[in-house]
Every structure is written in structure tokens, then in C-alpha cells.
Amino acid sequence: MTDVSRCPPLTRQSVVEAHARIRPYIHRTPVATCETINQVASTPQAERCPHTGPNTAAEPAPHEHGVTGDAAGCIARPRVKLFFKCENQQRIGAFKARGAFHALGRLIEQDGLDNVKRKGVVTHSSGNHAQALALAAKTHGIPAHIVMPTISTPSKIAGTKSHGADVIFSGSTSVERGAVVAEVMGKTGATLVPPYDHPDIILGQGTQALELEEQVEGLLEVEPGLGVPGRKRLDAVIAPIGGGGMLSGICTALLGTGIRVFGAEPRFEGADDAEEGLRQGKRVESVKTLTIADGLRTPVGEIPWSIISDKEKLAGIYSVTEEQIKAALRLAMERAKLFIEPSAAVPLAVVLYNEEFRKLVEQEAGEEGWNVGIILSGGNTTMEAIAKLFEVPTKAAERAEGKVTVDGDRIAENVAG
Amino acid sequence: MTDVSRCPPLTRQSVVEAHARIRPYIHRTPVATCETINQVASTPQAERCPHTGPNTAAEPAPHEHGVTGDAAGCIARPRVKLFFKCENQQRIGAFKARGAFHALGRLIEQDGLDNVKRKGVVTHSSGNHAQALALAAKTHGIPAHIVMPTISTPSKIAGTKSHGADVIFSGSTSVERGAVVAEVMGKTGATLVPPYDHPDIILGQGTQALELEEQVEGLLEVEPGLGVPGRKRLDAVIAPIGGGGMLSGICTALLGTGIRVFGAEPRFEGADDAEEGLRQGKRVESVKTLTIADGLRTPVGEIPWSIISDKEKLAGIYSVTEEQIKAALRLAMERAKLFIEPSAAVPLAVVLYNEEFRKLVEQEAGEEGWNVGIILSGGNTTMEAIAKLFEVPTKAAERAEGKVTVDGDRIAENVAG
């Protein structure tokens, strides 16, 4: 990978240059809006109709009292208009294509294409970065070795292989995969392209913020009613944080624009390491969680941490429960018709259900409200994964007792019908 | 409803006028493309990698030999570039908003808003037409009475009620619901707005074809590589057929343009009534099927039949199996990230899996290939419905035997891990 000391500075201008570098290889993904979700988000949780949350009796209501312990919770009334940046429609189905194409482009500029082709590249990733590097490498005719945990989603393994990459399996701890990566590097001389903790990756991921900013201004010029009254641009952007490559890239891209940047993460089993790190004033270095937001199970990297822990650059991080992620995922799919992976639903879940965030928006945005950009980071999930998340539990139990068929039809009804 | 004898003639010009009438009330839905699906569709079924079909061992391969009985089947190599008209992102989540707004607009023009407000409107529908008429009526301040079968999808009932309509339940046969509709008309004087068998509905539904035609030309002007070499416009459009309101509207809109129109329907339990009707030269008047494409369970209406049975207007109808619909639904969601309902996956299933259709395209389009517009008719389904369709059957069976937990984790692995 390009030597960090020779990388461009982490500035908005460098993101602009990164965008010019990768533009031929990536999609300018669309920006979507959904009036129904705007209305739900702008209604206090306590007043919402039951159809805007999980609609099976078995699932608990996703809202909860503010983390401040406010007993009268769930009453914040932020006014928001949401703009969804559809990186689920990016190449390989996730924003990671941006960082991979940028990092590889910079490596080629520095070492020359022939050298990079001879040595190849290597990375470790359980999913989207693996596919992204495989695609970028194939595009330039460079061999790619991808170390993936054996427990990776089969569709992500298949996607990585479909781009011609050499997939090598490892255990899922960082020590296990590090050993396999070192072995590949020793054998082939391949250059490591890390998934998030590198300036070239960060600058590449930041490019989506430039597009989003410009696209929202374009939309509001044509149709002002899509936004809050009197505002012609974004007021805030909220993005998921796992390793932090994307969030720190977005902070870098938007610094000085007046657009606030927020991070969103799952809370399950300590996945809220970034929020916890900010509280402690110190990066949390390891995380062990099986949150359904599988792209966000990693601790924040060192370089991303140096950016997001700067209050000038990041306005705050908020976390949500697994049920809240599922409820946001449901709304994005059923109402906005956007097919996304659970990690991509986390920022929407914060906007809909995190009472602390909602109070902040209500206070800062006031009567007028905010135009909020929401990064839908990816769409790489499978029908089976969705089936597992949303199966009606009572059906499974009844089936075990022989009361329903495997198709879920009630046997008694079939007899009667 | 407007007297049929006073309706505009069923011509392209009438569709253009219908479009002008409804434009303020509907979305101009986007057109999406997906290179991966283009590649799959342009590869013979026999040569496809297993990941482009159902990827669980329990599901049979969706391809099959041509209905001509050709033993060497599955070898057609049509070359196609697909353009998806995203009516799943239309208001109320389906194209039906077009017909409902048009029919109501015409009724108001004829009878005057005050009269229509006083009498109200009534319809019977298990789903999308119900929501569409409810929304259109609410928009004009008109009372709407919607007769829905008790077995309707709960989300569709909730959607209809959320637009302020008066929902009345009935049995699911046409006799049962007809009786309830008659009762409502007798009590209130409400005017019936039928779901498909009326010129005003047909003209409204046809408007999507005008947009698609224009949008594809616009896309190809900017990015010719999205289409087949040397072609600057659509060669064909394929749309689902249930009652036939949409398909006959599209035939009407595109007559004389040189763009061929095809229909697509499920085959399960005689749902292929339109194809069968064309074979017999006679409309099939009743259908009783529980195909997963629940929007396409109805027989073709009389006026739609008079249009689609005209070879000058419709180029053909092709049907697919339930497994083929599921496989197409999977590809649309997992690869193109488009959230659609099963009925909307039927045309894509024909393009991917109906060997007879694929041979026809190979022969007629030749080396160059065709640009094919695909109508994604709606996106009104739920996470639970998807879960039911795609649950891994072995998991359910194992769960019944106590080998896995309700979360689907293998108990043995949990112990070992």
C-alpha cells in the first residue's frame, strides 16, 4: 500500500482529487426520498401508529426512553427531510468500491502498473471490501488475494470469487487472519490494501459525500418541496461507523461546508465502541460482537479515530439496538422500496429511534427542521438472511408442533377450505 | 364510473392526454439498469453458474426445457439489455395509482366534483388498486368504500385504511365481493371504479409506457453503452398480466411505435389464463389459483382481452413457474437491489427462464440484440412474506427436531464454539 507519509493530506481538496481519480470506475449512485419515512421520522415515537414499527406482536416496540433516563421519553419532534444516498446501488453493491479503486489507483501511480501486476495485492475482509478490491484489481489486470473468515456470508464469498480473486480462508479473529495475510505476502510479495485504516481508502470513501451534497442541491433547485422550508442544501449527514474509513472520509469531505456529520452504530454486545471511545476520550481497540449489522463489527481504526475524535470534524455518534435496526430495515424496504443490508439501516434507525439524537435535532433545527443525508452503505444481503431475521417466531413453534405445514399454511384451514 | 360510450378512444393520443391529466398526482418513476442481470439474461440457461439461480440445495434449478419439448433445451442465447421501469416506487408502491387517478379525474370532469363528493366511490380489490383508489379519493376529498377479501395481506389492508378509506370485508370469490359492492352502492349511491376492465383505467395504466420509452431514449443518448450496440431506443416491453388493465394500456400506448409488447404471467394452477385464451382464441373467464404472484390471480377482463387478443397490438404472452418467479425475485433484490413484490418479478422471470421467449428473441433480435423494457409493477410486500418464501426448509425441519435454535444457529456449533 502507498506509504502513509507520501499520501495526500486529509483535506476536502484531496477528496475532490480522489473523486476525479475514481470517477471512471464507479457509479454516481442515485439519491432517493420517501415522504412516508419523512412523516414517521418527524412524528414523536410515542404518537406513531403501530404500522411504522415492527408489525408482529412477537417483536417489541423499537422505541425506548432517551439514554438520559428521561421518564417521559419518546416525545422529541425533530422535523426532518431525508435524502438517501443509495450506495447499495454502487458497484459490488456497496460504497467500498470507492476506497478500493482509489487505493489501487494511487498504488499504480506510485509503483507503476507493471510492478503492481507482478506483485499483486492482498487484503482481509469478511465482505464488501473483499469484493471491492477483487473488482478493482480485475479491472486493472492485477492478481488479488483475499483472506476471508470461513464464516463469511456465502454470497459475499461467491461475489469475491466471481471477480476472479484468489480467496483464502482463515479464522475470524484478527490474529488468525493477520497470520494468513502475512503468509500470502511472504509467498507472493503482494501489497496489503487494508479495508479502512489508510488515507487513500479514507479519501476514496469520502467521495460519496461530495456527490450527495451536490445531488441534494440539484434536487432542491428543481423541487424545493423535497426539503424543509427555506433551505436549499443539506444541514447534516449521518453515516454508519465500523472501522471508520467511510465516516472519517465524509468528515474530511465536508469540513468547512457547515454540514454537520454524525456517526451511527449498533449497540449490541459493545458494538458501540466509537461512542464509548468518545466518552472515554480513548479509542476502544477491540470489539467482539455478533450484531446483525455485520459490516460494523470492527473497532475504529487509528487514522479514522484521529479524525472522528476531533469535535471540529464530527458532531457526534449515536447507537441503536438490534430491534431498532430491524425496524429501520423494514421501513427502508417496505416503504421506500430500497433493498439494503442491515448495516445500512443503522443511520436511519438513529434518526427514527434514538431519542437523544432526535432531541438534539429538535433543539438545533427548531421549527424549520433539517435536510438530513443518510448514507445507505450497501445492499449485500440474501433472501435467506432476511428470512432468518423476519421469520414469524410463532410459525416456527407451531410447525415444530405439527400445526402448520412447511409452507406456513394452517393445516386446519386447509382441511376446512 | 364514466360511461364507457363516452370514454376517449383507446389510442396512443388518448394515453398522452391521460398522462397530462394525472401528471400532477403521480411520480415519474426512475428507470434502473443492472449489468449483472443483463449478463445472466444473455447467457444460455445451461451455461449459467449456480449463483444466478436459487442458491439453496433444496430449491430446484429454475430453468427447464422449452415447452416445445426440445430435449436439448436451455441453450437459447438472446442478447438483451434490460431497462427496469420502477413502478414499485410509484405512489402507494404500485402502478395502480396511475389508473385510479385517471379514472377519478375523468369522473370528476363528467359529473362535477360536488356530485362525486356527495356520492363517493367504491371498488373491490385485494390490494394495490384498493390503496390507489383510496389515495386518489383522499386527494380530491371524496369518500371511498373499498371491499377487500378478508384474506388480503395485512399490510395492504393497513395501507388502504391509512388513506382514510372505509374498508369493508367480503369473501374472496367474485360472487361474494360483488354482493358486498352492490350493497354499498345501494346504500350510498357510490360510483364503482373497477380495477381494470374500463377504458379510463386502461388509458391511465398505459402512461408508464410513454415515460419508459422517453426515459430509455434519454439514457441511451447520454450513455449508449447501457443499450445494445447501434440501437437508440427500446425494441420491446414486457409487462405482467392479471386483469390486463396495464398490459392493454401499454399495447395502446405503444401501438405504431414499432416497440413490441409482450405479456408475462404465472403458470401455477391455471394462472396462465391469458396464454391459454390466446391458444383457444377465446377469453378464459374464470381462474382459481394461489400463485405467489398474488396480483396476477384474476382472469383477463373483457376490454383488455379485446386489445391483447389483437396480434397487431400484442406480440405474445409467456408464462413461468413459481420457482422461476422466486429466482427472478431473488435476482432483482440481491443483484439489482430493487425491492419488488412477486407479481413484479414475473416479466423478468420470462426473460431469464422461458426458453420459448428466449428463442424468439434470439431469432428476431439476432447478433445485435434487443433493448427490453421490464415493468416492475409494484413493491407492496412485507418482510414476513419474503421470510415465508425464502426460509431454508432444512432449518425448519431441523428446528422441529430440536437440532437448531429459533435463531437458526446450530446448537452443536454453539456448544463447540
Side-chain angles (χ1 to χ4, degrees), chain A residues 26 29 102 200 253 351 382:
Chain A
I26 61 159
T29 54
H102 185 244
D200 286 337
V351 173
T382 62

mmCIF file of all heavy atoms in Angstrom, chain A residues 26 29 102 200 253 351 382:
data_model
loop_
_atom_site.group_PDB
_atom_site.id
_atom_site.type_symbol
_atom_site.label_atom_id
_atom_site.label_comp_id
_atom_site.label_asym_id
_atom_site.label_seq_id
_atom_site.Cartn_x
_atom_site.Cartn_y
_atom_site.Cartn_z
ATOM 1 N N ILE A 26 -16.523 4.123 -10.988
ATOM 2 C CA ILE A 26 -17.627 3.936 -10.038
ATOM 3 C C ILE A 26 -18.933 4.502 -10.590
ATOM 4 O O ILE A 26 -18.932 5.243 -11.560
ATOM 5 C CB ILE A 26 -17.316 4.622 -8.681
ATOM 6 C CG1 ILE A 26 -17.126 6.128 -8.890
ATOM 7 C CG2 ILE A 26 -16.119 3.971 -7.999
ATOM 8 C CD1 ILE A 26 -17.316 6.943 -7.644
ATOM 9 N N THR A 29 -24.152 7.116 -7.680
ATOM 10 C CA THR A 29 -25.378 6.447 -7.229
ATOM 11 C C THR A 29 -26.503 7.461 -7.018
ATOM 12 O O THR A 29 -26.260 8.617 -6.673
ATOM 13 C CB THR A 29 -25.140 5.699 -5.915
ATOM 14 O OG1 THR A 29 -24.581 6.623 -4.965
ATOM 15 C CG2 THR A 29 -24.184 4.541 -6.106
ATOM 16 N N HIS A 102 -9.736 3.816 -5.402
ATOM 17 C CA HIS A 102 -8.823 4.918 -5.149
ATOM 18 C C HIS A 102 -7.468 4.425 -4.661
ATOM 19 O O HIS A 102 -6.416 4.848 -5.143
ATOM 20 C CB HIS A 102 -9.419 5.897 -4.124
ATOM 21 C CG HIS A 102 -8.563 7.098 -3.936
ATOM 22 N ND1 HIS A 102 -7.938 7.403 -2.747
ATOM 23 C CD2 HIS A 102 -8.173 8.065 -4.822
ATOM 24 C CE1 HIS A 102 -7.226 8.510 -2.901
ATOM 25 N NE2 HIS A 102 -7.366 8.932 -4.144
ATOM 26 N N ASP A 200 -5.567 6.694 1.759
ATOM 27 C CA ASP A 200 -6.096 6.544 0.402
ATOM 28 C C ASP A 200 -7.504 5.937 0.411
ATOM 29 O O ASP A 200 -8.340 6.272 -0.430
ATOM 30 C CB ASP A 200 -5.170 5.665 -0.449
ATOM 31 C CG ASP A 200 -3.906 6.419 -0.854
ATOM 32 O OD1 ASP A 200 -3.935 7.666 -0.865
ATOM 33 O OD2 ASP A 200 -2.897 5.753 -1.139
ATOM 34 N N ALA A 253 -14.416 15.258 3.804
ATOM 35 C CA ALA A 253 -15.009 15.870 2.609
ATOM 36 C C ALA A 253 -15.839 17.103 2.948
ATOM 37 O O ALA A 253 -15.873 18.064 2.193
ATOM 38 C CB ALA A 253 -15.875 14.848 1.879
ATOM 39 N N VAL A 351 -32.018 8.039 13.342
ATOM 40 C CA VAL A 351 -32.921 9.167 13.075
ATOM 41 C C VAL A 351 -34.336 8.855 13.567
ATOM 42 O O VAL A 351 -35.032 9.721 14.093
ATOM 43 C CB VAL A 351 -32.931 9.502 11.564
ATOM 44 C CG1 VAL A 351 -33.994 10.547 11.244
ATOM 45 C CG2 VAL A 351 -31.554 9.999 11.136
ATOM 46 N N THR A 382 -28.879 -11.486 1.551
ATOM 47 C CA THR A 382 -29.549 -12.523 0.769
ATOM 48 C C THR A 382 -30.980 -12.714 1.263
ATOM 49 O O THR A 382 -31.327 -12.321 2.375
ATOM 50 C CB THR A 382 -28.841 -13.876 0.917
ATOM 51 O OG1 THR A 382 -28.904 -14.259 2.298
ATOM 52 C CG2 THR A 382 -27.398 -13.801 0.465
#
